[in-house]
Amino acid sequence: MKVTNTMVVAFSVGLLALTAGCSKLEQANGGKGYAGKADTPAYSGNGGKFSANDFTPGDKTSWQEALTNRSKGQNEYNRTPPRDTVSNDK
C-alpha cells in the first residue's frame, strides 16, 4: 500500500479532530468554566395567568407552599375516600 499525500492529510485532520474534542471546558474558556447565563430561581417569575392563585411572585415560601399544595392534590391516597366509608352497594 502506497502512502499518498491525501492519506497523510486525511489522517492528520482526523487526529486533530479527535484530540480537539478531548479538551476540557475549563481550558477552553480560560479557566472560568461554564460561561452561559445564570439561571433565575423559579419563584422569581412574574406570575401570569398560568401561575397558581396562592403564589406571590418573588416570594420563595409562597412558591414552596403552592408546590406542596399541588402535590397533595395529585396524590391518589388523599383524593380517594377511606375504604370503610365507601358503599359496596351495586
Side-chain angles (χ1 to χ4, degrees):
M1 175 180 197
K2 183 179 177 185
V3 178
T4 62
N5 287 342
T6 307
M7 291 173 68
V8 171
V9 169
F11 179 74
S12 301
V13 169
L15 186 62
L16 181 64
L18 286 175
T19 58
C22 296
S23 67
K24 293 183 180 178
L25 180 61
E26 289 82 18
Q27 292 173 350
N29 194 19
K32 295 180 183 175
Y34 178 66
K37 74 173 199 172
D39 291 335
T40 56
Y43 60 84
S44 66
N46 59 357
K49 64 181 180 179
F50 297 112
S51 66
N53 294 335
D54 54 346
F55 165 59
T56 306
D59 185 18
K60 186 175 182 177
T61 55
S62 71
W63 172 260
Q64 290 172 338
E65 289 174 4
L67 286 180
T68 303
N69 291 337
R70 180 178 179 204
S71 66
K72 286 179 183 176
Q74 293 176 345
N75 187 351
E76 289 294 323
Y77 291 110
N78 292 338
R79 293 173 55 185
T80 55
R83 187 171 178 83
D84 46 336
T85 60
V86 176
S87 71
N88 291 329
D89 299 334
K90 293 185 179 181

